[in-house]
Amino acid sequence: MKKYDEFMPGLAERIVRMAEKEQAYRIDTTNREEDQKDKLLKIAEKESNHIIRAQSWGQLIGALISFSCIGIATYFAFTGAAWEIVIGFLAVPTASLIAAFIPRKGSNESSGKRGAKQEKED
């Protein structure tokens, strides 16, 4: 550093200041990136919790409707109502059970395309 100052007075101090500024900038940039990552993780966690809560409510409501239909169908069967009414009420839980096992187009197609792309790349 003495040779830098001999070559140009104050040059060593300028170089040190420049290195300190660069280090401070890198630390600041790294801290901002970490903050952004933390914010994105919090947003993703909130969205995930909302989706889980919505799915849970959907399952609960679906179960209540199915059990209600089965209960009503049982009531009508014991009271001697027409068989069409009993079958009508039993069709709702049966249809929802069948629908639960049929894959949805949107969710499986997108994952299937990703899998095909990854296989081609390998």
Side-chain angles (χ1 to χ4, degrees):
M1 295 304 257
K2 285 184 182 183
K3 289 191 178 192
Y4 285 118
D5 274 338
E6 288 173 8
F7 177 74
M8 182 183 286
L11 183 59
E13 185 181 330
R14 287 175 56 193
I15 292 173
V16 169
R17 242 185 296 134
M18 183 177 67
E20 289 172 347
K21 284 183 180 180
E22 176 66 24
Q23 184 180 17
Y25 172 77
R26 287 183 184 199
I27 290 171
D28 184 52
T29 301
T30 302
N31 288 340
R32 279 189 274 135
E33 287 174 356
E34 290 295 322
D35 290 343
Q36 287 295 325
K37 287 178 186 177
D38 288 342
K39 287 178 185 177
L40 288 174
L41 285 173
K42 287 179 184 178
I43 290 170
E45 183 180 359
K46 284 181 182 179
E47 287 180 1
S48 178
N49 289 338
H50 288 300
I51 290 170
I52 291 170
R53 192 175 305 125
Q55 288 176 343
S56 296
W57 274 106
Q59 289 174 349
L60 177 64
I61 291 169
L64 288 173
I65 291 171
S66 294
F67 288 128
S68 297
C69 288
I70 292 170
I72 293 169
T74 304
Y75 171 76
F76 281 135
F78 282 119
T79 60
W83 65 271
E84 294 90 356
I85 295 173
V86 175
I87 296 297
F89 277 104
L90 288 177
V92 174
T94 304
S96 64
L97 185 64
I98 290 170
F101 289 104
I102 296 175
R104 294 181 184 168
K105 287 184 178 182
S107 62
N108 287 339
E109 284 182 4
S110 62
S111 63
K113 289 179 184 176
R114 283 188 216 138
K117 282 184 180 179
Q118 288 177 349
E119 288 175 5
K120 288 180 184 178
E121 290 174 1
D122 292 338

